[in-house]
């Protein structure tokens, strides 16, 4: 099956809008994170090689390497979200007539639910990283394209808050409460201070316009 | 030339990351807005026809019509942003040797800058509308997909704040201060209370998970 990344933007949006279960908000979150990383890369690409920004050349090179690696990770997460959701739906569809079947079905659902908690948690972490990277672009990038660093931070912030919702849902259905609570603590750590950081970076950009 | 909407998600992201001036943050803002509208549509599509939600059937039909029309508008804005930016770059490239050339170039730049202020302002308004629509999805949509309404509001919010940056930049370069100030007042009206509204809708969703 054609991966979302290989479909046109319009078809992706059509499928997002449709009654098909996937792609859904999890994939949209990863796409927003990937847009954020791409825009930080754009700021780097339009800062590198400019005599006026020679002083930050090395830092922009390093930032570009990080944002491009992050973009690859986030593009992979578009598919990871679809895959784990489809896998979960498969488990819900398992037979549940006999007690044995019921037990097997519950067990399988719980195994995949753990994965379905880890996938958006990883996406949330990647988006938090994208926020961090956008700060460097906002602080040191070419003033002529600094607004793109502001779009980057907003896209990353939206991706993070979106991915978090999928962690909450799936963690809530987990019977292994120790695992679930540990993931929620991890998420809380990722989200700590992120509202302030995103607004701060946005204001850095706005002041430079 | 192939429109962005017809390019694959990955190619769109590649071009966003590249040193080409377009697509940039303005197109990314429109894509986020379109994702928001698409996700509100998804919630509608998965609420319609369910006996449990028969009471909100008519409202969901109306919401779907609005979110789909808005999605079409926002998809058009991906291209509008590229077009006006390219047009502006064309003006900056006009000859500026003679006084007559300089005067003509300045005049043309100022004409297109007005357009380049109106395009992201329209995008900001469309994203504000997408936030409003996501509230109905969050309040009345199928609980099984309510997180998608939460992703919708975050995507719309990010799109709005992103589009606003492009209004600020282009309005700042306008010599017709009356026009510029009037557009900034319009934007301020669009943005009034939007931080609180977005967080409120996000919390409505979070409480339902």
């Amino acid at each position: 099956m054609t991966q979302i990344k290989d479909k046109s933007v319009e078809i992706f949006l059509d499928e997002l809008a449709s009654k098909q279960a996937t792609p859904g908000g999890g994939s949209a979150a990863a796409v927003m994170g990937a847009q954020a990383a791409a825009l930080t890369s754009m700021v780097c690409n339009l800062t590198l090689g400019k005599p006026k920004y020679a002083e930050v050349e090395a830092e922009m090179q390093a930032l570009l390497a990080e944002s491009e690696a992050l973009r690859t990770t986030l593009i992979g997460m578009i598919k990871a979200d679809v895959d784990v959701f489809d896998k979960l739906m498969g488990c819900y569809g398992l037979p549940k007539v006999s007690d044995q079947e019921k037990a097997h079905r519950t067990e399988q659902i719980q195994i995949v639910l753990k994965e379905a908690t880890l996938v958006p948690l990883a996406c949330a972490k990647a988006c938090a990283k994208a926020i961090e990277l956008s700060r460097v672009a906002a602080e040191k990038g070419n003033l002529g394209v600094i607004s793109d660093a502001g779009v980057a931070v907003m896209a990353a912030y939206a991706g993070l808050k979106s991915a978090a919702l999928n962690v909450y849902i799936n963690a809530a259905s987990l019977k292994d409460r120790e695992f679930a609570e540990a993931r929620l603590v991890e998420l809380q750590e990722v989200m700590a201070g992120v509202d302030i950081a995103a607004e701060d970076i946005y204001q850095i950009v706005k002041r430079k316009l």
Side-chain angles (χ1 to χ4, degrees), chain A:
Chain A
M1 220 178 87
T2 311
Q3 281 192 44
I4 290 171
K5 73 176 179 65
D6 299 319
K7 292 180 183 175
S8 76
V9 170
E10 190 162 34
I11 300 228
F12 161 60
L13 292 167
D14 284 344
E15 293 186 356
L16 204 56
S18 80
K19 65 196 311 176
Q20 287 170 245
T22 57
S27 295
V31 169
M32 287 191 273
Q35 281 181 270
L39 285 162
T40 291
S41 296
M42 181 188 181
V43 175
C44 294
N45 281 321
L46 286 161
T47 304
L48 288 167
K50 308 259 186 219
K52 195 176 160 191
Y53 297 95
E55 215 173 90
V56 295
E57 181 86 9
E59 206 170 345
M60 284 291 130
Q61 279 290 8
L63 180 61
L64 178 60
E66 283 199 271
S67 57
E68 286 299 274
L70 189 62
R71 182 157 74 94
T72 303
T73 301
L74 280 155
I75 288 174
M77 286 172 174
I78 305 171
K79 183 174 186 301
D81 184 83
V82 170
D83 288 349
V84 77
F85 193 92
D86 288 346
K87 207 164 149 186
L88 193 58
M89 288 303 105
C91 291
Y92 280 113
L94 287 170
K96 47 175 180 174
V97 180
S98 71
D99 283 352
Q100 206 185 349
E101 282 173 347
K102 280 183 198 164
H104 174 72
R105 179 176 172 274
T106 300
E107 193 189 6
Q108 290 304 309
I109 288 172
Q110 288 297 318
I111 289 168
V112 178
L113 267 177
K114 283 189 179 177
E115 210 183 311
T117 305
L118 293 173
V119 166
L121 179 58
C123 183
K125 286 178 183 177
C127 288
K129 180 79 183 167
I131 292 177
E132 266 181 53
L133 299 186
S134 73
R135 182 188 288 277
V136 187
E139 285 176 343
K140 305 188 177 173
N142 182 342
L143 282 177
V145 288
I146 208 68
S147 67
D148 294 306
V151 179
V153 71
M154 290 313 303
Y157 178 68
L160 168 49
K161 298 267 284 189
S162 298
L165 293 174
N166 284 334
V167 177
Y168 297 137
I169 304 169
N170 294 323
S173 303
L174 279 169
K175 291 189 178 174
D176 181 346
R177 294 316 303 161
E178 201 180 326
F179 177 93
E181 295 303 333
R183 298 297 81 74
L184 290 170
V185 167
E186 264 188 83
L187 178 63
Q188 208 174 350
E189 283 165 6
V190 171
M191 297 192 84
V194 85
D195 292 335
I196 292 164
E199 183 58 22
D200 185 38
I201 299 164
Y202 187 82
Q203 292 302 331
I204 290 172
V205 169
K206 208 180 149 194
R207 279 195 299 271
K208 289 185 173 184
L209 297 179

